[in-house]
Amino acid sequence: MRANVLHRYGGPEQLTVVELPRPVPGPGQILVRAAASAVNPVDIEVRSGQAASRVSHPFPMVLGWDLSGTVVECGDGVTRFAVGDQVVAMSAQMATGVGTHAEYVALDATLAAPAPRGVDLVHAAGLPLAGLTADQALEVLAPAPGSTLLVTGAVGAVGGFAVQLAVDRGLKVLALVRPTDVEAARALGAHEVFTAEHPVPHGVADHLLETAGQPAAVDGVRDGGSAVSIVPTAPPVAERGIDVRMSFVEQDGDRLARLGRLVGESVLTLRTAGVFSLDEVGEAHRRLAAGGSRGKLLVAAE
Ligand SMILES: NC(=O)c1ccc[n+]([C@@H]2O[C@H](COP(=O)([O-])OP(=O)(O)OC[C@H]3O[C@@H](n4cnc5c(N)ncnc54)[C@H](OP(=O)(O)O)[C@@H]3O)[C@@H](O)[C@H]2O)c1
């Protein structure tokens, strides 16, 4: 099968397509013929070597965490899916070594979920990592219905899902975005939108979900409120009795199934900014690194 692999740490030019043996699903695993994967900031960290201390897999390495596709084979003991099912999945590539920029991916059936209804299978690859990250970070915050949540990077991949999930939970959502993204944040459901020119007032939010690498946004949280960041390189500093935590995405097929149902109900919308081929993963990295992508950058496998 064709797979895009990283041969050594370095620039996007290190990502090239090679032929690899098609994986064989082990017990409890499914083999998925990929429709698409996606690129995420973590892929840039892995490719550049920035995350090398957390990666213990040999080169050549297949990158990619998100997956959408069709089950073509089930390993022993799989009852969750059958051949022909359309699925989405998140594979924690950095920890497991199982990347998704390939024509076929074998992974544990518990990591996968039915693909969202009413959505093109390629675009469904935009859900897993960003959706799970947003949902798990909100779970850490555990905001009461009616409380006020500030989301930074609110039109980003994770931030956009966080805004929509929070609105669905009955929260009042404040968004911090670039000046050009005010309307996009409103379209996602944010009740009030702030920018560098129109800053968040001090202490207006009960909670903060920080996705933009803007730790100073904790200033917008009231005394004794709470903050969760998903950006480990720039954690907010605990002050004024504010509870500050980090959240790191975890594989979870059941949670992903719930998020997929929310997509089917149009509670969550999938935003695609571009679709690249397996040969163009390096180009997708360049585009992601440049910033300004409004929606996921996907990698179609076919
Ligand atoms: N902990 C985890 O498990 C986990 C999981 C997923 C992601 N992450 C991290 O979370 C971050 C967000 O990921 P993502 O995939 O959502 O990235 P993304 O789609 O690029 O979203 C980040 C958003 O923040 C915006 N932003 C950056 N600086 C800003 C500022 N000063 N003011 C307002 N908005 C600003 C960006 O705008 P521009 O594009 O214009 O810069 C973008 O819209 C990344 O650092 C990623 O590494 C962590």
Side-chain angles (χ1 to χ4, degrees), residues 2-302:
R2 297 177 81 238
N4 187 293
V5 304
L6 180 70
H7 297 277
R8 63 187 66 81
Y9 294 129
E13 70 283 354
Q14 299 299 339
L15 292 160
T16 55
V17 170
V18 299
E19 281 291 328
L20 291 180
R22 182 166 144 169
V24 176
Q29 291 194 321
I30 52 176
L31 180 67
V32 178
R33 186 179 69 237
S37 54
V39 293
N40 289 285
V42 66
D43 298 315
I44 294 177
E45 290 175 37
V46 173
R47 187 257 297 150
S48 65
Q50 204 184 326
S53 64
R54 290 174 282 152
V55 177
S56 53
H57 309 287
F59 294 108
M61 202 187 287
V62 177
L63 304 190
W65 292 46
D66 292 302
L67 177 67
S68 65
T70 305
V71 176
V72 291
E73 203 179 324
C74 293
D76 287 346
V78 172
T79 53
R80 197 177 165 97
F81 298 105
V83 168
D85 286 352
Q86 295 193 327
V87 295
V88 288
M90 191 199 85
S91 173
Q93 180 274 331
M94 194 166 62
T96 64
V98 179
T100 58
H101 296 329
E103 288 181 321
Y104 292 89
V105 181
L107 39 64
D108 288 352
T110 54
L111 309 187
R117 289 180 189 279
V119 175
D120 178 88
L121 195 55
V122 167
H123 297 288
L127 174 67
L129 185 146
L132 286 170
T133 305
D135 196 55
Q136 289 166 349
L138 278 175
E139 185 169 282
V140 174
L141 276 173
S147 59
T148 301
L149 171 70
L150 170 61
V151 180
T152 56
V155 302
V158 178
F161 284 134
V163 168
Q164 293 178 308
L165 288 167
V167 169
D168 186 54
R169 287 177 177 213
L171 303 183
K172 179 178 178 188
V173 179
L174 315 182
L176 177 69
V177 296
R178 303 279 191 197
T180 46
D181 290 327
V182 171
E183 283 314 312
R186 289 219 171 90
L188 289 168
H191 300 102
E192 291 181 40
V193 185
F194 300 93
T195 64
E197 286 76 24
H198 177 45
V200 182
H202 175 75
V204 287
D206 301 303
H207 312 283
L208 165 67
L209 176 43
E210 211 293 280
T211 82
Q214 297 295 308
V218 76
D219 184 70
V221 180
R222 65 165 167 79
D223 294 2
S226 64
V228 164
S229 170
I230 62 165
V231 186
T233 49
V237 175
E239 57 179 55
R240 298 180 288 112
I242 296 169
D243 179 43
V244 176
R245 298 178 195 212
M246 299 300 304
S247 182
F248 297 97
V249 68
E250 290 179 12
Q251 306 173 131
D252 185 342
D254 291 335
R255 187 184 294 263
L256 187 53
R258 181 168 56 73
L259 295 171
R261 287 193 293 275
L262 292 177
V263 172
E265 294 163 8
S266 301
V267 171
L268 292 179
T269 52
L270 300 178
R271 296 168 296 142
T272 300
V275 182
F276 297 79
S277 69
L278 272 179
D279 297 285
E280 297 170 327
V281 174
E283 189 50 37
H285 277 219
R286 287 189 189 94
R287 176 95 175 266
L288 182 63
S293 295
R294 296 299 170 250
K296 293 299 296 181
L297 302 175
L298 306 181
V299 178
E302 294 167 347

